[in-house]
Amino acid sequence: MNEFVSFDDLTAEALDAADDRIAEINRQLAAARAGEQSPETALSEIRGLANSLKGVGQTYGISVLRVLSHRLEDYLAEVKDLSDAVLDDVQVFADRTAEALETHLKASAEEIAQFVRRLPAKGSAGFEVSDVRVRDIEVMLVMEPSTATRFVTRELQECGYRMTNVWSTIDAFQLVPHIRPDLVIVSNVMRDLTGVDFCCAIKAMPSTKDTLVALLTSESRDNVAFKALPEGVPVLSKSSRFGDDVTRVFSDLGLL
């Protein structure tokens, strides 16, 4: 017969696993700063540790760990090298995650959202976020990886918005209540649910009904499927009109 494992035992196991990974991130950062580890190797190791931390959060149902590690993984996605600025930012991620596990293991959705706002804004290839006035406005882009995704992310980052990229609508459903973005932009073409279905579901759930959401599409605004969009959900064109649409929609939503 299997021995009963208590909730406290599982929690201790999860914390030990998370602490080990955070300690290894700190070790990689120190080694990179001291020149004892190549930047390429350290970056690869830290990316793997961020993914492993997210797995621990998912396995043990620790929302704050899952959300913060997703943000670290997202931050690192387009990092090309471990500059001093990146090393400093990753250190903040490690410190904030350790702090959250020590004092906010069972954090509420609102507390997790506050932790997220204290994390560094991610950069993008080709420019430094430090060159842009970063607004305290969180935008979640739900869109599969592609050239178009990189373009949309870059355009919004250059406007100063704090970006989170999520590759699936299922993951977005789990993250939206905890990150509490000021706006969710979802591509209409997604594997799990169409963008229209996602918008309808977000607006129907009590915990997310007040979340601002916009649909991103390359199709005509007259598409009959868009008639199902909840009232007040705007459409952004994935075309040369994108910049104009962002100005119009963000102004209407009070996010400029």
Side-chain angles (χ1 to χ4, degrees):
M1 180 181 295
N2 292 331
E3 184 177 343
F4 176 74
V5 179
S6 71
F7 175 79
D8 288 342
D9 289 337
L10 288 175
T11 300
E13 183 179 329
L15 289 176
D16 285 345
D19 286 343
D20 287 345
R21 287 155 178 79
I22 294 170
E24 181 59 20
I25 289 175
N26 285 325
R27 193 187 74 78
Q28 291 291 335
L29 292 173
R33 290 186 191 277
E36 299 169 356
Q37 179 80 286
S38 72
E40 295 80 11
T41 300
L43 179 56
S44 176
E45 290 291 329
I46 293 171
R47 280 176 171 151
L49 290 162
N51 181 262
S52 183
L53 270 173
K54 186 168 71 173
V56 173
Q58 291 172 333
T59 299
Y60 293 94
I62 304 175
S63 296
V64 67
L65 180 58
R66 185 177 70 244
V67 172
L68 298 189
S69 54
H70 175 90
R71 286 297 293 259
L72 173 56
E73 193 175 41
D74 187 37
Y75 174 92
L76 293 169
E78 295 182 7
V79 168
K80 303 301 182 185
D81 58 73
L82 288 177
S83 65
D84 288 343
V86 171
L87 288 169
D88 290 344
D89 281 352
V90 175
Q91 187 66 66
V92 172
F93 276 99
D95 292 346
R96 292 285 182 267
T97 303
E99 176 189 347
L101 293 180
E102 183 177 347
T103 60
H104 288 76
L105 186 62
K106 297 180 181 179
S108 66
E110 184 174 346
E111 288 172 324
I112 294 173
Q114 291 172 356
F115 266 99
V116 168
R117 302 272 175 163
R118 295 167 58 197
L119 296 173
K122 73 173 186 172
S124 179
F127 77 100
E128 292 291 333
V129 171
S130 59
D131 297 331
V132 177
R133 182 176 66 85
V134 179
R135 307 165 187 258
D136 187 26
I137 295 176
E138 291 274 346
V139 178
M140 178 184 289
L141 177 62
V142 185
M143 192 174 180
E144 294 177 2
S146 67
T147 300
T149 303
R150 290 192 293 273
F151 168 78
V152 173
T153 301
R154 180 188 175 94
E155 287 290 302
L156 293 173
Q157 281 181 300
E158 289 184 335
C159 292
Y161 297 107
R162 296 169 57 90
M163 295 294 300
T164 298
N165 288 91
V166 182
W167 310 129
S168 80
T169 47
I170 299 302
D171 287 344
F173 277 126
Q174 295 178 338
L175 292 168
V176 167
H178 296 104
I179 293 180
R180 297 196 176 185
D182 296 290
L183 173 66
V184 180
I185 299 175
V186 59
S187 172
N188 191 45
V189 180
M190 298 295 294
R191 294 178 190 272
D192 302 313
L193 291 172
T194 68
V196 172
D197 287 341
F198 178 85
C199 292
C200 290
I202 285 289
K203 287 299 187 181
M205 294 189 297
S207 62
T208 58
K209 64 182 177 62
D210 294 327
T211 301
L212 297 178
V213 61
L215 184 74
L216 180 65
T217 181
S218 58
E219 301 175 61
S220 167
R221 297 168 190 264
D222 297 326
N223 187 317
V224 66
F226 298 163
K227 302 294 184 184
L229 282 172
E231 184 179 356
V233 174
V235 176
L236 293 166
S237 176
K238 196 190 304 180
S239 69
S240 58
R241 298 201 311 270
F242 178 73
D244 292 337
D245 279 359
V246 165
T247 300
R248 171 182 57 81
V249 169
F250 280 52
S251 177
D252 289 346
L253 296 177
L255 299 177
L256 279 181

